[in-house]
Amino acid sequence: MDTATGAGNTSGNITLGAGTGVVRGVLFDIDDTLVDLEFSMTSALRDVSEHLLPGLDEAGWEKFGRIFTHETTHFYDRYLAGEITFNEQRLLRGRAALGYFGVELADGEQAHHWVSSYASRQHGYIRAFDDVGPLLDALDAAGIPYGAVSNNVHDYQRVKLDAAGLDRIAVLVGTDTVGVAKPDPAIYLEGVRRIGTGPGQTLYVGDNRLLDAEGSTAAGLLGVWLNRGGEPAPDFRGREVGSLLELLELLA
């Protein structure tokens, strides 16, 4: 397989710095790391909920989006644990956000229509962050293989990557690939195996400090926290970048 598809050739390397050795491969989280999931979610949410929340001001929409994207992730955890389906966690998050503003999403046709409309609208808003293309170009040019490891199922994330114009990321490991989710070491190590490197030679980059940076590091990889928003974490002692463009400096 050629390096333009992000797999196979391990001839390149990155010098990461003292004490870390040479990096021969890179794995990425997908949502809010490569793909601006929050933008697609909040944009679709507003489209399908404006008729239920007429007159809601911008501060209200911001709160509505935050509840759905950040304050109801325990429902997504229940999905990962196999307790509910993907659409059920989505509906529960929508009900929680709407309920905050006193709107009840009824069972039956209304709930089904809301979930299906949201799903179709969200797909249309999927986009990659601006710093993704330049980094992948540099990795391709350097002959460094890369791939993605995600806490969602393979086929759903494959569609997402392709919709974002990231079809060159050929290696993709989902929760259904090995039957576990992050931070189980097996899911990161399967990504390492598929790009043909070793754990200690592989960067893992993601926006979730616990699941991505610390989880991958515990599995033996070189975890990097992508902290786009500058979230304070004074106790974090790992590697941290504010943009994927900072990783380009390693390829200079």
Side-chain angles (χ1 to χ4, degrees), residues 72-230:
T72 54
T73 54
H74 56 285
F75 290 125
Y76 192 79
D77 293 338
R78 289 181 59 192
Y79 156 68
L80 290 177
E83 297 174 7
I84 57 177
T85 68
F86 186 72
N87 277 338
E88 284 172 341
Q89 66 86 27
R90 186 177 267 169
L91 177 58
L92 288 169
R93 295 172 81 167
R95 279 185 167 146
L98 289 166
Y100 178 86
F101 295 95
V103 175
E104 180 180 355
L105 195 59
D107 287 328
E109 183 60 31
Q110 185 187 32
H112 174 76
H113 178 73
W114 188 91
V115 169
S116 61
S117 296
Y118 169 79
S120 62
R121 293 295 185 98
Q122 186 199 354
H123 183 80
Y125 285 113
I126 291 173
R127 65 184 187 185
F129 287 102
D130 291 341
D131 53 4
V132 176
L135 177 57
L136 297 186
D137 288 344
L139 293 175
D140 285 337
I144 297 170
Y146 52 84
V149 175
S150 172
N151 259 9
N152 207 326
V153 295
H154 174 280
D155 290 354
Y156 184 81
Q157 295 298 74
R158 180 74 268 166
V159 170
K160 188 181 293 179
L161 286 176
D162 293 349
L166 300 176
D167 51 300
R168 60 173 145 170
I169 300 178
V171 171
L172 170 57
V173 176
T175 54
D176 55 337
T177 305
V178 290
V180 297
K182 297 181 287 187
D184 190 299
I187 194 169
Y188 311 101
L189 295 176
E190 179 63 12
V192 170
R193 186 188 72 80
R194 292 190 179 210
I195 63 172
T197 56
Q201 302 172 323
T202 306
L203 284 184
Y204 187 89
V205 186
D207 70 294
N208 188 302
R209 176 173 54 85
L210 297 176
L211 296 182
D212 296 326
E214 296 180 1
S216 64
T217 298
L221 286 72
L222 302 170
V224 179
W225 181 25
L226 175 59
N227 186 9
R228 292 187 184 277

Side-chain angles (χ1 to χ4, degrees), residues 28-108:
F28 298 96
D29 170 57
I30 295 176
D31 294 330
D32 291 319
T33 296
L34 299 175
V35 174
D36 192 349
L37 181 65
E38 185 165 352
F39 169 79
S40 67
M41 291 173 74
T42 55
S43 298
L45 277 172
R46 185 160 182 168
D47 282 354
V48 301
S49 304
E50 281 186 315
H51 69 290
L52 299 172
L53 297 168
L56 190 65
D57 60 17
E58 288 303 317
W61 284 115
E62 183 177 343
K63 177 62 178 178
F64 182 71
R66 182 157 189 85
I67 293 172
F68 189 87
T69 58
H70 294 283
E71 298 178 16
T72 54
T73 54
H74 56 285
F75 290 125
Y76 192 79
D77 293 338
R78 289 181 59 192
Y79 156 68
L80 290 177
E83 297 174 7
I84 57 177
T85 68
F86 186 72
N87 277 338
E88 284 172 341
Q89 66 86 27
R90 186 177 267 169
L91 177 58
L92 288 169
R93 295 172 81 167
R95 279 185 167 146
L98 289 166
Y100 178 86
F101 295 95
V103 175
E104 180 180 355
L105 195 59
D107 287 328

